Amino acid sequence: MDEQALREALHVRAAQQAFDPDAVGRAVERGRARRRRRRTTLLAAVPVVALAVAGSAAAGLAWLPGDPPAARSAGPDAVARPVQLLTQATSPGLVFHARLDGTLTVTDDGCVAITPIGSAVVPVAWPPEWTVGRDDDGRAVVYDPQGRPFAHEDGPAGVGGGLVNPAAGGSAIDPADPCALGSSRVFQVADALFW
Amino acid sequence: MSTSPFEEWAHRAGPGLRRVAGLLCDHPADADDLVQETLVKVYLRWARISRLERPDGYVQTMLVNQHVSMRRSQSRDRRGRRWPGAPAAVDDREPAVVGRSALADALAGLGARQRAVVVLRYYCDLSDEQIADALGCSPRTVRSQASRALARLRHTATAEELG
């Protein structure tokens, strides 16, 4: 098969494809739903951040980089505790091939991170479209861009990506975000790249 | 009821996106899903995308990358690492579509990135540099992927079969 034959065959096959105009309306509905869900998560995060800041100030705690806060397991009181994701400002490129396996963990600040077996909690920067909520049992659930549950709090979680310094130039991660956990090494998830 | 600028654009650009998606995916339903998901993402970023000089080209790149990403998730599912709550994976390399063309069978034998390179190069007529930009790799990688893909396609289907 030469390149010209391939080109012609592709055009023939392409011409047989039919677009469903209703897909536009469905996209608008799904987009609105995702926006609402994101807004809800964001609004829920505001009081917890304010409480965390006030609590830290009141206790006079100094939080040193490299010494992230202890994680807490889900329980009955977890339902009222909002959760939040540190998301990347832009979609990551296909440049990272590391893997982070462990347990999905929610820190005292309500930040969703991953704790590898036998290691300290690792702050995670999720791709832009990923969201978080709580299930009926009060456990945090991370959703992928398609709205599918990816992992549950205290359950197994494995992501692909790489460790980056959020303070480095060109980083898609806000180093001041509380969910960066004050660490100079954040695991940037590449899986949902352009996502 | 009046339509929004996004909807106007989507109705105009949708058929072109669906054609590309149809070349990237083995099953029409997968192609529909791919277009749908891409349109949702475009809707969410419409304020920024609408200001681009060539929004159609940008969205086409989004679609191709979305496809590569989805294929990677599917192969992870096939390897048994299913995400909790994810639907059962379908092996789209099985000849499930009876009577599909030789081209479809040949394309089904390619990896996601090789297939994307073939579609962008021979259907969308993009240069190797443009493809490299779209896929986040070097032009050299594009050339090697295209070369391997062509060799594989030649092995799978002859010109007569494609015609």
Side-chain angles (χ1 to χ4, degrees):
Chain A
M1 178 194 8
D2 63 20
E3 297 186 12
Q4 187 55 31
L6 173 60
R7 196 162 281 165
E8 288 168 8
L10 286 170
H11 277 86
V12 168
R13 181 171 159 84
Q16 297 164 349
Q17 309 297 321
F19 175 66
D20 175 12
D22 291 342
V24 176
R26 286 196 298 271
V28 171
E29 281 174 27
R30 287 179 58 185
R32 282 181 183 148
R34 275 192 208 171
R35 198 174 273 167
R36 271 196 302 273
R37 200 167 58 204
R38 201 184 295 171
R39 211 171 280 154
T40 306
T41 306
L42 199 65
L43 285 173
V46 170
V48 81
V49 171
L51 282 173
V53 170
S56 298
L61 293 175
W63 187 17
L64 299 176
D67 185 20
R72 190 192 289 169
S73 293
D77 62 336
V79 182
R81 200 157 51 88
V83 284
Q84 56 182 329
L85 289 185
L86 164 59
T87 50
Q88 301 154 36
T90 54
S91 295
L94 283 165
V95 289
F96 302 118
H97 300 288
R99 184 165 194 96
L100 176 64
D101 280 308
T103 303
L104 196 77
T105 303
V106 177
T107 68
D108 285 346
D109 288 345
C111 298
V112 179
I114 291 177
T115 307
I117 296 170
S119 301
V121 61
V122 176
V124 174
W126 305 85
E129 307 284 342
W130 290 50
T131 56
V132 66
R134 286 203 181 272
D135 62 16
D136 294 339
D137 298 328
R139 291 184 305 165
V141 187
V142 175
Y143 296 95
D144 74 2
Q146 283 76 42
R148 298 177 301 192
F150 162 67
H152 290 73
E153 186 176 355
D154 295 334
V159 290
L163 281 169
V164 298
N165 180 356
S171 167
I173 303 164
D174 179 8
D177 190 298
C179 290
L181 305 184
S183 175
S184 61
R185 307 265 282 171
V186 173
F187 194 89
Q188 182 172 359
V189 178
D191 187 59
L193 104 118
F194 228 37
W195 149 113
Chain B
M1 199 170 82
S2 66
T3 55
S4 68
F6 165 78
E7 288 169 295
E8 279 178 23
W9 171 85
H11 279 293
R12 183 180 54 73
L17 291 173
R18 181 59 180 76
R19 282 194 286 272
V20 175
L23 296 177
L24 291 170
C25 300
D26 292 336
H27 297 272
D30 289 344
D32 288 336
D33 286 349
L34 178 58
V35 171
Q36 181 80 78
E37 184 56 31
T38 304
L39 287 178
V40 171
K41 288 187 173 170
V42 174
Y43 173 80
L44 290 170
R45 303 173 190 167
W46 180 244
R48 189 161 56 87
I49 291 173
S50 63
R51 290 200 297 268
L52 295 175
E53 195 177 328
R54 288 184 60 249
D56 291 20
Y58 182 82
V59 173
Q60 184 175 281
T61 300
M62 284 176 71
L63 179 111
V64 171
N65 281 297
Q66 176 70 23
H67 166 69
V68 173
S69 176
M70 286 167 80
R71 276 287 297 269
R72 207 172 39 209
S73 300
Q74 285 169 352
S75 37
R76 180 169 43 214
D77 286 349
R78 285 193 205 103
R79 287 199 302 269
R81 288 193 56 85
R82 280 191 58 213
W83 294 354
V90 175
D91 188 347
D92 51 12
R93 292 188 186 219
E94 289 295 315
V97 182
V98 177
R100 70 179 178 187
S101 70
L103 174 66
D105 285 335
L107 288 173
L110 301 179
R113 282 170 74 81
Q114 281 183 352
R115 189 164 175 167
V117 167
V118 165
V119 172
L120 291 173
R121 204 188 214 197
Y122 298 107
Y123 177 71
C124 302
D125 289 325
L126 296 189
S127 68
D128 290 347
E129 287 72 22
Q130 289 171 314
I131 297 170
D133 278 347
L135 295 178
C137 59
S138 71
R140 191 174 160 186
T141 304
V142 170
R143 282 191 284 276
S144 70
Q145 293 266 17
S147 170
R148 281 185 207 145
L150 277 176
R152 194 155 189 173
L153 288 173
R154 282 193 188 105
H155 179 74
T156 314
T158 63
E160 288 75 23
E161 284 174 333
L162 292 175

